[in-house]
Structures are given as C-alpha cells and as structure tokens.
C-alpha cells in the first residue's frame, strides 16, 4: 500500500487500532486537495445525492477550508445521533471494525490521496471516509442501520458468513442508490466520494439498476477494482432498516448450505428492474480499456 503519511508512521496504534488525527500537522497542500475534491463533488452531487446527504454535510460544516478536524465535527455529530469519527492508520481487522460500528464509532483513515490519484484510488482515504460516509451518520435511521450492521458483523463472524454480510455493506453503504420521488439518487459513500462514479452510476446505460433485495444481494458478487456492473436501489432508509431488522440466522444457515452465487451482470426473473444495462463499459474492458 502506497500510503505515505509521516503522522501515521510516527504512531503506534492502540489496541483498538486507533491513532491520533493530529489535525494541526496536515500540510497546506493536503488541505488544498480536500478543498478541491470537496468543491468538485458538491457541484456534481447537487441534483444527484439524496437530500439527507446535504442535510448532513451542512450539519457537520465539512467545508471549513480544508480537511475536517474530527474534534470539531464530532460535536454536532454526537449531538445528532451519538456517533463519532475516530482515526485509524489503514484498513483494520473485521472484528475491530464491527466493534467500532456497534458502538457508534466510525473509523476513518487519516491520510488524504495524492494529486495524481484524485479520480481513483482503491484504498479508502479521509475524503472517502469522511465526505462519503459521515454525512449520513447525522441521519437517525441510517445511523441506526450502521450500528445494527456492526452488531450483525460480529454475529456473521460466528456463523462464518462474513462474505454474505459484506456484500450487503457493499451494495448499500458503499454503492447504494435510492429511488426517490425526484428520481434515482445516490447515497453510497463509494459513489458520492467519486467524481466519475457519481456520473456513471446514474447516467451510464452500462450497469443494471435493480430494486434492493436482501437475500439476492447477499449472494451477488461485486467488483472492487472498477465501476459496479449492478446498483441496487432502496425506496428509503426505513426500507433498508426494516429489511435488515430480522434475525439473519436462518438466512446464514441456508446460505452456508448453498453456494449459489449471482454474477455481477446477471438479471433474475424475480428482480424488479429499473434499468437493464448494456454492460458495454465492462465489455469494453472498463477502466483498463485502451484509450482509442
Ligand atoms: N439483523 C442482522 C442479524 O441478525 C443484523 C444486521 C442489521 C445486519 C442491519 C446488517 C444490517 O445479524
Ligand atoms: Fe467506505
């Protein structure tokens, strides 16, 4: 991993993998990268993200002239939903991650991407983690979902069904769409923090767009290295929380007996399809296609 952050390198993480953010040690250039990404995304997302996302952005004042100071944004965040953001050096073990979520702590990377990675990087940086994830944590129903997910993660580990649960996270928290009265909108953090995918996910004819279905999603593969080939849309965060409120035990029992998996571009007879994708982007080689 090519993370070059001296403030991370100077620290030994605590047992729960947290480090200090040491906000005063960000450089002017790091703040400028945040500012650039922030301004760019706010413009692109104006009519694309769910309204709850903007409400959250404003509540947290994430446009305070650079990288947010966690001590500052944690005040309004904690008052609204009891969540807080904590700083971690890089990806952390699953059980530690779930334990933080279960206790309403959101682990965010400290480092920010470099200028040659503005459009694409695989590991989550502070822009993805904070701009992408934290605004919706100010919204009570979504905040409850994230806590429930953390608790569910610890359970899934016991059932040995983490893969199934991880797909739910992927297709909701990271790449979820919402079918609103004003049309299809974005709420997934992986999309809102990406200039290119904020356009692709809603406008491109290539990917499938299908209504959310819990068990189907838990059996659907996903891509970590390129735009998604399928997006799932919920009607509301209430729908998401209601669908996941039940005990997943029986689902896990069933899934550990069947290894049925759906491909990223598959459409099933029972799917409620909003858009049947052409898959032309993926067929042409996606991000790795040779420039013509
Ligand atoms: N209901 C899930 C379980 O029984 C927990 C969960 C809730 C998982 C919300 C994801 C999201 O394990
Ligand atoms: Fe993320």
């Amino acid at each position: 991993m090519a993370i070059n952050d001296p403030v991370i390198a100077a620290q030994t993480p605590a047992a729960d993998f947290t480090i200090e953010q040491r906000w005063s040690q960000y450089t002017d250039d790091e703040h400028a990268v945040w500012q650039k990404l922030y301004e760019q995304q706010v413009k692109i997302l104006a009519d694309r993200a769910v309204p709850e996302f903007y409400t959250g952005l404003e509540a947290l004042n994430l446009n305070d002239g650079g990288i947010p100071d966690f001590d500052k944004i944690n005040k309004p965040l904690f008052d609204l939903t009891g969540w807080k953001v904590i700083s971690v050096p890089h990806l952390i073990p699953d059980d530690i991650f779930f334990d933080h979520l279960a206790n309403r702590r959101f682990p965010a990377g400290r480092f920010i991407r470099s200028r040659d990675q503005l459009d694409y990087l695989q590991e989550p940086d502070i822009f993805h983690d904070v701009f992408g994830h934290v605004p919706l944590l100010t919204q009570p129903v979504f905040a409850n979902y994230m806590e429930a997910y953390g608790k569910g993660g610890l359970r899934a580990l016991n059932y040995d069904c983490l893969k199934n649960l991880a797909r739910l996270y992927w297709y909701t928290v990271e790449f979820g769409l919402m079918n609103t009265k004003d049309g299809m909108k974005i709420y997934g953090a992986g999309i809102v923090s990406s200039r290119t995918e904020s356009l692709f996910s809603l406008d491109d004819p290539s990917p499938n767009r299908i209504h959310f279905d819990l068990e189907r999603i838990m059996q659907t593969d996903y891509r970590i290295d390129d735009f998604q080939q399928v997006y799932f849309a919920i009607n509301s965060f209430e729908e998401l929380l209601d669908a996941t409120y039940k005990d997943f035990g029986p689902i896990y029992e069933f899934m550990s007996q069947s290894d049925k998996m759906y491909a990223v571009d598959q459409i099933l007879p029972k799917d409620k399809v909003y858009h049947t994708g052409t898959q032309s982007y993926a067929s042409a080689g996606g991000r790795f296609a040779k420039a013509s």
Side-chain angles (χ1 to χ4, degrees), residues 124 128-129 133 169 174 189:
H128 167 79
D129 283 337
H133 286 280
Y169 192 88
E174 293 293 354

Side-chain angles (χ1 to χ4, degrees), residues 28 63 130 173 238:
D28 289 348
N63 186 24
V130 175
V173 177
E238 283 79 5

